[in-house]
Amino acid sequence: MPSRDVVEAFANHLEDGDFVGAIEHFYAPDAVTYENNADPTVGREKLAAKERGVLAAFKQVKAVRVGPSMMEGDHVATRWRFSFTNAEGVTRTLDEIAWQTWRGDQLIEERFYYDPKQLGR
């Protein structure tokens, strides 16, 4: 079970724009993430590389936590609002729920739930 301090530190990394650092610091080496119903991404190194690719595709990415993270045992749920600004200055916003499973102070599984239509897909 993660401590509240660890969950808050993780959220602070995201809100500070340190997305890759959050992965490298908090995700377990064998961590898995799921984007809605897509195939999982497995392993901290692959997750960090995928995040670098997302960040490279945009001029700016911002994260704002909407309300507190809810914790129960090894599970944490957080509502996020991400803003993605492309090279032309167009910003699209994604409202998402992240459902996490932790092993101690390491994130081992994360599932993202959102409507992809929010990004104009």
Side-chain angles (χ1 to χ4, degrees):
M1 170 170 64
S3 68
R4 170 62 69 180
D5 289 342
V6 166
V7 171
E8 292 300 315
F10 174 79
N12 288 337
H13 272 268
L14 298 183
E15 290 185 311
D16 290 344
D18 187 15
F19 302 103
V20 175
I23 292 169
E24 293 172 339
H25 186 78
F26 294 98
Y27 285 59
D30 59 341
V32 179
T33 65
Y34 299 84
E35 298 270 345
N36 283 337
N37 293 322
D39 290 337
T41 302
V42 181
R44 181 171 54 208
E45 295 305 317
K46 286 184 182 178
L47 293 165
K50 181 179 176 181
E51 193 67 20
R52 284 185 191 96
V54 169
L55 294 171
F58 295 95
K59 180 179 171 183
Q60 182 179 42
V61 179
K62 293 182 82 172
V64 175
R65 188 166 38 159
V66 180
S69 295
M70 304 297 180
M71 298 176 60
E72 180 66 35
D74 292 335
H75 301 287
V76 176
T78 306
R79 181 177 170 203
W80 290 98
R81 185 164 296 126
F82 290 93
S83 298
F84 299 88
T85 304
N86 66 20
E88 292 78 35
V90 176
T91 300
R92 301 212 188 256
T93 302
L94 176 71
D95 196 297
E96 151 188 298
I97 300 293
W99 175 257
Q100 303 171 333
T101 303
W102 292 71
R103 182 188 319 126
D105 287 339
Q106 288 194 314
L107 206 159
I108 60 170
E109 181 181 290
E110 190 165 31
R111 293 178 181 264
F112 304 108
Y113 298 97
Y114 58 89
D115 180 356
K117 291 179 185 174
Q118 295 176 86
L119 294 175
R121 294 183 206 164

